[in-house]
């Protein structure tokens, strides 16, 4: 059953979070971690992917913590449904028990901005929530490499990137930030941002995570 609390009093400086997990203990633990922070608050919970759409429309949280494995509608389909609506709808962080779970890649394809292991520390959970709330992707290069390795190469044709865009994409795939890429290539940060925007458009990628997945699947970047 979906629950919500305090969503009618909205402070724009506070990140509103919805937790979706079929395990009450998991939801309770995440709520305790998040609600202890002055800049974060849990405004609703759901025990099933069926309930997510209505809860998101009503509460309009900035972040949804979404379990992958749930009855009736799993986190992948629930993510797809949420992301198919208003683009201003929340960032989605999927939760998984196993880092080699193939479903993680499917959830990222469906529109999730990142994933988090359920055994993550409270500090890692809070960092993840704040990262995607700020509009950044939660990119784990080694984990994404492991997920795409062994999967068939996509039939989608690789776009024509410039030499510089390819360099930037390969550095994104190693987990570097724009500032770190700028330092590595001796470029200005704004120049790097311009290259990132261009390669995202050419790859038809929503964010850096999507770009890295597309780069591996089309062969622009090779695992290892």
């Amino acid at each position: 059953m979906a629950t919500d609390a305090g969503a009618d009093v909205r402070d724009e400086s506070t990140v509103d979070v919805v937790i979706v997990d079929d395990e009450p203990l998991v939801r309770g633990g995440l709520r305790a971690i998040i609600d202890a922070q002055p800049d974060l608050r849990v405004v609703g919970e759901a025990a099933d992917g069926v309930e997510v759409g209505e809860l998101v429309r009503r509460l309009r949280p900035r972040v949804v913590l979404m379990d992958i494995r749930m009855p009736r509608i799993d986190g992948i389909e629930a993510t797809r449904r949420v992301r198919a609506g208003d683009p201003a709808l929340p960032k989605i962080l999927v939760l998984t028990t196993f880092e080699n779970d193939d479903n993680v890649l499917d959830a990222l394809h469906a529109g999730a901005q990142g994933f988090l292991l359920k055994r993550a520390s409270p500090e890692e959970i809070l960092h993840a929530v704040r990262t995607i709330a700020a509009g950044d992707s939660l990119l784990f290069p080694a984990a994404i490499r492991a997920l795409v390795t062994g999967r068939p190469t996509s039939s989608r044709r690789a776009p024509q990137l410039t030499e510089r865009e390819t360099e930037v994409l390969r550095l994104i795939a190693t987990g570097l930030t724009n500032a770190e890429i700028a330092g590595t290539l001796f470029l200005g940060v704004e120049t790097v941002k311009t290259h990132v925007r261009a390669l995202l458009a050419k790859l038809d990628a929503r964010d850096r995570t999507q770009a890295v997945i597309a780069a591996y699947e089309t062969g622009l970047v090779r695992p290892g």
Side-chain angles (χ1 to χ4, degrees):
M1 179 180 294
T3 61
D4 62 88
D8 55 329
V9 181
R10 187 177 295 272
D11 179 352
E12 293 301 325
S13 66
T14 301
V15 175
D16 289 347
V17 180
V18 162
I19 300 171
V20 186
D21 196 292
D22 61 337
E23 293 288 343
L25 285 176
V26 172
R27 296 199 307 273
L30 289 170
R31 177 182 280 274
I33 292 168
I34 292 168
D35 278 346
Q37 304 303 306
D39 59 327
L40 308 174
R41 69 170 179 171
V42 176
V43 295
E45 297 180 18
D48 193 289
V50 173
E51 305 166 352
V52 178
E54 189 276 333
L55 199 62
V56 163
R57 284 190 295 273
R58 180 159 48 86
L59 299 178
R60 299 193 67 81
R62 203 181 311 176
V63 175
V64 172
L65 296 181
M66 181 88 75
D67 187 21
I68 289 183
R69 298 173 183 271
M70 294 183 291
R72 297 199 292 172
I73 292 180
D74 63 21
I76 299 167
E77 179 59 25
T79 295
R80 188 175 292 113
R81 293 184 182 189
V82 169
R83 299 304 301 167
D86 183 347
L89 285 171
K91 307 294 185 183
I92 297 177
L93 182 64
V94 292
L95 303 171
T96 181
T97 303
F98 309 105
E99 60 187 312
N100 61 348
D101 187 347
D102 283 344
N103 290 320
V104 168
L105 198 56
D106 294 329
L108 294 174
H109 273 302
Q113 278 69 38
F115 69 95
L116 193 64
L117 294 176
K118 289 188 177 182
R119 65 174 182 270
S121 68
E123 292 76 17
E124 290 171 328
I125 292 168
L126 295 172
H127 170 72
V129 171
R130 290 181 176 120
T131 295
I132 69 165
D136 296 324
S137 297
L138 197 66
L139 185 59
F140 296 111
I144 291 177
R145 279 199 303 275
L147 289 169
V148 299
T149 299
R151 278 205 170 194
T153 303
S154 172
S155 58
R156 171 179 164 194
R157 290 185 61 186
Q160 290 296 316
L161 301 184
T162 67
E163 184 177 347
R164 183 64 84 187
E165 288 165 356
T166 302
E167 284 182 306
V168 170
L169 180 59
R170 286 173 177 156
L171 292 174
I172 290 174
T174 68
L176 296 190
T177 65
N178 287 344
E180 290 168 336
I181 292 171
T184 300
L185 298 179
F186 303 102
L187 299 173
V189 174
E190 290 304 316
T191 300
V192 172
K193 289 180 179 179
T194 298
H195 289 311
V196 171
R197 285 193 295 268
L199 68 87
L200 288 178
K202 289 180 180 180
L203 290 165
D204 192 24
R206 289 182 297 269
D207 52 41
R208 295 161 82 93
T209 299
Q210 292 286 321
V212 172
I213 292 171
Y216 282 128
E217 291 184 336
T218 59
L220 282 170
V221 176
R222 303 286 184 183

